[in-house]
């Protein structure tokens, strides 16, 4: 009887299983937040993960995310809930997925989410021996704006200001 060498990589789980695990991870992300459990929250991240907050600040590494969220959960976000939904999952490789979701912090004194608090997360997930983990997350406020047509007033004003700045020798050259 021949033993299978331990260096042979295990086959990747089926996509349906991966999608279910990723959906669970997103739910666990919200549950850990709502429970105020910084340890469980931090456990969802890889050791070298990046976290870009809605205000553009960046934190690097699981210990930093865990520490920051412990401070938040015991401080300004005490008693808050994270509510949201998973929008999409796209597998870049069998071991890397890009996930988009929307979520918002529901403060304990609110019963309804204010629209201006809605954020969209772009999350890079990595398959690890311990399952799917967050390798990077970018959290940005949802503030849709329309792209002005070239003949719209904002576009005309921008071109006028650019011409004026060039004539005055201002701005980049």
């Amino acid at each position: 009887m021949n033993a299978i060498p331990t260096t042979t990589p295990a086959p990747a789980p089926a996509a349906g299983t991966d999608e279910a695990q990723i959906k669970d991870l997103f739910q666990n992300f919200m549950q850990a937040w709502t429970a105020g459990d910084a340890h469980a929250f931090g456990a969802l991240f890889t050791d070298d993960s990046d976290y870009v907050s809605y205000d553009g600040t960046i934190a690097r590494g699981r210990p930093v995310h865990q520490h920051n969220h412990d401070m938040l959960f015991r401080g300004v976000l005490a008693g808050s809930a994270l509510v949201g939904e998973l929008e999409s999952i796209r597998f870049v490789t069998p071991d890397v997925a890009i996930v988009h979701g929307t979520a918002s912090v529901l403060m304990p004194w609110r019963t309804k989410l204010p629209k201006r608090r809605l954020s969209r997360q772009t999350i890079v997930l990595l398959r690890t021996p311990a399952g799917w983990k967050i390798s990077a997350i970018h959290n940005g406020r949802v503030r849709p704006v329309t792209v002005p047509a070239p003949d719209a007033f904002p576009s005309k004003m921008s071109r006028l200001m650019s011409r004026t700045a060039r004539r005055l020798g201002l701005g980049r050259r």
Side-chain angles (χ1 to χ4, degrees):
M1 192 170 186
N2 294 334
I4 297 174
T6 57
T7 57
T8 303
T17 302
D18 286 337
E19 287 180 8
Q21 291 171 0
I22 288 170
K23 287 176 183 177
D24 286 346
L25 182 129
F26 193 79
Q27 288 302 312
N28 292 339
F29 183 77
M30 290 189 296
Q31 288 170 352
W33 182 296
T34 302
D37 188 341
H39 182 74
F41 188 82
L44 301 171
F45 292 84
T46 61
D47 289 337
D48 62 349
S49 53
D50 296 325
Y51 191 115
V52 179
S53 187
Y54 76 92
D55 66 353
T57 58
I58 188 165
R60 291 196 162 93
R62 179 196 340 237
V64 175
H65 311 323
Q66 188 169 325
H67 170 76
N68 289 348
H69 283 82
D70 178 57
M71 299 292 286
L72 291 168
F73 297 157
R74 292 185 302 118
V76 296
L77 296 177
S80 67
L82 186 63
V83 296
E85 61 184 46
L86 187 63
E87 294 178 327
S88 65
I89 301 170
R90 179 172 60 93
F91 291 94
V92 180
T93 72
D95 296 326
V96 176
I98 304 289
V99 172
H100 287 105
T102 53
S104 186
V105 175
L106 181 63
M107 297 307 289
W109 58 86
R110 295 192 184 272
T111 56
K112 184 178 160 188
L113 290 172
K115 283 188 176 185
R116 293 191 53 79
R117 303 242 348 163
L118 185 64
S119 294
R120 177 161 284 113
Q121 297 77 38
T122 300
I123 307 169
V124 179
L125 299 179
L126 180 66
R127 183 194 314 276
T128 71
W132 288 96
K133 299 284 183 181
I134 299 169
S135 179
I137 184 169
H138 186 194
N139 186 19
R141 289 281 194 233
V142 176
R143 299 281 196 279
V145 295
T146 58
V147 177
D151 63 342
F153 180 74
S155 299
K156 290 178 181 178
M157 286 304 297
S158 179
R159 288 193 305 273
L160 174 63
M161 290 169 61
S162 295
R163 286 192 305 271
T164 302
R166 277 194 298 274
R167 285 184 190 131
L168 296 173
L170 301 173
R172 66 178 168 84
R173 305 195 194 284

